[in-house]
Amino acid sequence: KQWYQRRVAITAGSDKTFLQQVFKTKQENKRRLAQYVADTCGITLNVGSMFDIQVKRIHEYKRQTLNLLHVITLYNRIKSNPNGEFVPRTVFFGGKAAPGYQTAKETVSLICHVANVINNDPVIGDKLKVVFLTNYRCSLAEIIMPAADLSEQISLAGTEASGTGNMKFMLNGALTIGTLDGANVEMAEEMGMENIFIFGMKVEDVSRLWADGYGTRRYLARLPELQLALSQIRAGLFNPAEPHKFSDFSDNLIANDRFCVIADYESYVKCQEGVSELYMDWIKWTEKCLVNIASSGKFSSDRTIREYADEIWDIKPVHVDLNPPKE
């Protein structure tokens, strides 16, 4: 039986000591990322908060905007009920884009403006923080991925060719919130649908939406929280020095929502509420982390090369005797 075909049975409460060790390791990795943020951004983070991370190329189909609209929704909920019960979150964004991609530049700028308002609001405190990690790169990913509690893989269904970052987060024990798109589909097959947070339209739903004539305003009419978030962006709440800076950004999303951010918003927010509810139970959360880790073997490059050799290249492995490494 090959190592990557394993399916370890992890039953609820089977080994609480081991779960505590996994939880402790995750907290240590979160402290390391928090220290990096303190050193480079000057932001003090609550390590006990959920580390909710979206790091990838900045592009409309990756839907960083959907994530940001959820952040603004959380901000508004806390502001309207400061003494309510909220699961603390630290939301991280990171990534790069083509230098001429104006919408990507505006997205990054808006994220940073929203972060500045939220992080300096005394009413919000440690309940919510937003961090944009600059110069995302492999060496930084080595700090980020082991620290992630939640991995954001939220591209519109049918637009993601595959994706590999989601697999790396999975291997490092992050739970995934995502659409049935790209490698999320294979990940769900390996770990089981009960161990991943799936939301939003499927590919066939997206096709039907456009065939029927997608209009954003019928969604906005029944989503007051989304209306509020978009109106705040348009009115300059997050950039009072230049109140009209993001007016076009908001208007364009309503007029030409190419990647169905508004159509998937309600499902996404509802799914995030389920994420918060589970995070309050560290044992159940950590059990699902373990299932993710234990189910990630299929995505090893060793398995991939072996499969290519057997099924495509029709070659056999050759044993090679190597000299011992030099002292």
Side-chain angles (χ1 to χ4, degrees):
K1 188 174 181 179
Q2 309 246 16
W3 65 268
Y4 59 84
Q5 292 175 319
R6 70 82 254 140
R7 189 69 191 174
V8 179
I10 301 173
T11 57
S14 59
D15 189 344
K16 190 173 181 180
T17 301
F18 184 52
L19 291 177
Q20 288 173 333
Q21 291 173 340
V22 173
F23 182 81
K24 179 182 177 182
T25 300
K26 178 63 72 174
Q27 291 303 112
E28 290 171 352
N29 288 326
K30 289 171 71 174
R31 278 191 285 272
R32 183 170 63 144
L33 177 56
Q35 187 61 57
Y36 174 86
V37 171
D39 293 342
T40 58
C41 306
I43 302 171
T44 301
L45 302 182
N46 174 11
V47 179
S49 68
M50 182 197 307
F51 277 22
D52 175 350
I53 301 181
Q54 186 179 20
V55 287
K56 53 180 72 256
R57 185 160 53 95
I58 309 295
H59 198 288
E60 289 164 274
Y61 87 86
K62 302 283 191 181
R63 301 204 293 189
Q64 284 88 358
T65 301
L66 179 59
N67 189 354
L68 187 63
L69 287 169
H70 176 245
V71 168
I72 296 171
T73 299
L74 292 178
Y75 170 73
N76 288 329
R77 288 180 179 181
I78 297 170
K79 290 287 283 186
S80 64
N81 184 18
N83 297 318
E85 291 292 325
F86 295 95
V87 176
R89 280 194 193 225
T90 302
V91 183
F92 297 84
F93 294 86
K96 296 178 180 178
Y101 190 1
Q102 185 61 30
T103 302
K105 292 180 179 180
E106 290 176 357
T107 301
V108 172
S109 180
L110 179 57
I111 290 169
C112 292
H113 278 85
V114 171
N116 186 55
V117 169
I118 291 176
N119 295 346
N120 291 288
D121 190 326
V123 174
I124 302 300
D126 284 343
K127 295 186 182 75
L128 182 63
K129 294 289 184 187
V130 183
V131 179
F132 187 88
L133 296 162
T134 60
N135 194 21
Y136 179 59
R137 58 202 184 277
C138 290
S139 58
L140 183 52
E142 291 173 352
I143 301 174
I144 294 169
M145 290 182 174
D149 290 311
L150 185 67
S151 165
E152 299 270 353
Q153 308 297 332
I154 59 176
S155 57
L156 176 65
T159 61
E160 185 68 76
S162 176
T164 56
N166 48 3
M167 304 172 192
K168 296 165 190 170
F169 278 110
M170 175 186 180
L171 176 62
N172 280 279
L175 302 191
T176 298
I177 183 168
T179 53
L180 278 174
D181 194 33
N184 291 351
V185 176
E186 295 172 274
M187 288 165 51
E189 290 172 354
E190 291 298 303
M191 73 177 77
M193 290 292 287
E194 69 276 12
N195 296 301
I196 187 170
F197 298 98
I198 296 295
F199 76 94
M201 295 179 288
K202 299 177 182 178
V203 174
E204 57 269 27
D205 299 323
V206 176
S207 298
R208 192 179 307 114
L209 179 73
W210 286 109
D212 292 344
Y214 173 42
T216 60
R217 295 194 182 277
R218 63 189 175 95
Y219 288 88
L220 288 169
R222 58 182 175 82
L223 296 171
E225 288 188 308
L226 178 55
Q227 286 186 49
L228 176 60
L230 289 171
S231 67
Q232 288 170 326
I233 293 171
R234 194 180 194 287
L237 175 68
F238 303 106
N239 47 296
E242 299 177 84
H244 302 297
K245 181 177 176 68
F246 298 110
S247 296
D248 288 345
F249 187 94
S250 178
D251 291 345
N252 289 339
L253 183 62
I254 295 171
N256 185 27
D257 184 15
R258 293 194 299 151
F259 297 101
C260 304
V261 169
I262 290 171
D264 267 349
Y265 168 87
E266 185 176 19
S267 176
Y268 179 60
V269 170
K270 185 176 178 62
C271 192
Q272 287 281 19
E273 290 169 357
V275 172
S276 292
E277 183 178 354
L278 181 66
Y279 191 74
M280 294 173 67
D281 187 333
W282 76 268
I283 292 179
K284 289 183 179 179
W285 182 277
T286 308
E287 285 173 349
K288 291 183 184 295
C289 290
L290 276 173
V291 172
N292 270 258
I293 295 168
S295 303
S296 62
K298 177 182 178 180
F299 306 111
S300 163
S301 58
D302 291 344
R303 193 274 308 170
T304 305
I305 296 302
R306 186 182 293 115
E307 198 170 280
Y308 267 64
D310 291 343
E311 299 180 9
I312 298 174
W313 300 328
D314 192 25
I315 58 176
K316 304 298 180 184
V318 176
H319 179 77
V320 177
D321 291 320
L322 298 175
N323 294 325
K326 295 179 180 180
E327 295 295 335

